[in-house]
Amino acid sequence: MSECLFCSIAKGEIPSDFVYQDEDIVAFKDINPQAPVHLLVIPRRHITSVLDTSDEDIALLGRLQSTAVKLAKEFDLDTNGFRLVINCLKDGGQAVFHLHLHLLGGRAMNWPPG
Ligand code: AMP
Ligand code: ZN
């Protein structure tokens, strides 16, 4: 079992509701959804936070975003829209230290965020 929760999920060591998988990326339903659609899109490779990415990760970061957009269309969020969020460290509200994009939709979001 990996020490990192999302590494364990990506390896299938912890059951989760997958909505997408490829060689580099997995996406699954958030266990505590904050909106009717709340998906997490993560790299299989352990990256602690977005601060730990560099120019070498530009392709991966682009693919994480394009996967989120494809899922947004699949989950019918392309008419009313959605929100993509990356929380980073303490002030960003990051609780799981494996890079992930939140895809939130199915209701109107507030701005500014809390
Ligand atoms: P963050 O605060 O950006 O680090 O978000 C972490 C997210 O992971 C939260 O929205 C949690 O609800 C979600 N989460 C924690 N454990 C699990 C799990 N086992 N399966 C799916 N989502 C999870
Ligand atoms: Zn990890």
Side-chain angles (χ1 to χ4, degrees), residues 45-114:
R45 170 159 68 92
H46 182 84
I47 300 174
T48 302
S49 84
V50 74
L51 273 177
D52 301 293
T53 60
S54 68
D55 285 357
E56 287 174 8
D57 302 308
I58 285 172
L60 177 64
L61 290 165
R63 290 196 49 230
L64 288 167
Q65 180 170 310
S66 65
T67 300
V69 170
K70 279 181 207 152
L71 286 166
K73 290 176 182 164
E74 230 174 82
F75 280 77
D76 296 324
L77 303 177
D78 47 336
T79 301
N80 287 345
F82 54 88
R83 185 169 287 177
L84 288 181
V85 174
I86 298 176
N87 295 325
C88 183
L89 302 186
K90 183 167 68 76
D91 281 2
Q94 186 176 4
V96 176
F97 293 92
H98 178 127
L99 175 64
H100 51 281
L101 275 70
H102 294 258
L103 169 63
L104 294 145
R107 67 167 173 86
M109 304 289 152
N110 300 314
W111 193 264

Side-chain angles (χ1 to χ4, degrees), residues 2-8 42-48 96-99:
S2 302
E3 273 180 39
C4 167
L5 174 64
F6 284 0
C7 281
S8 294
I42 72 168
R44 284 191 189 273
R45 170 159 68 92
H46 182 84
I47 300 174
T48 302
V96 176
F97 293 92
H98 178 127
L99 175 64

Side-chain angles (χ1 to χ4, degrees), residues 2-21:
S2 302
E3 273 180 39
C4 167
L5 174 64
F6 284 0
C7 281
S8 294
I9 287 178
K11 287 178 188 157
E13 294 169 351
I14 291 179
S16 136
D17 210 343
F18 284 104
V19 292
Y20 179 82
Q21 300 194 54

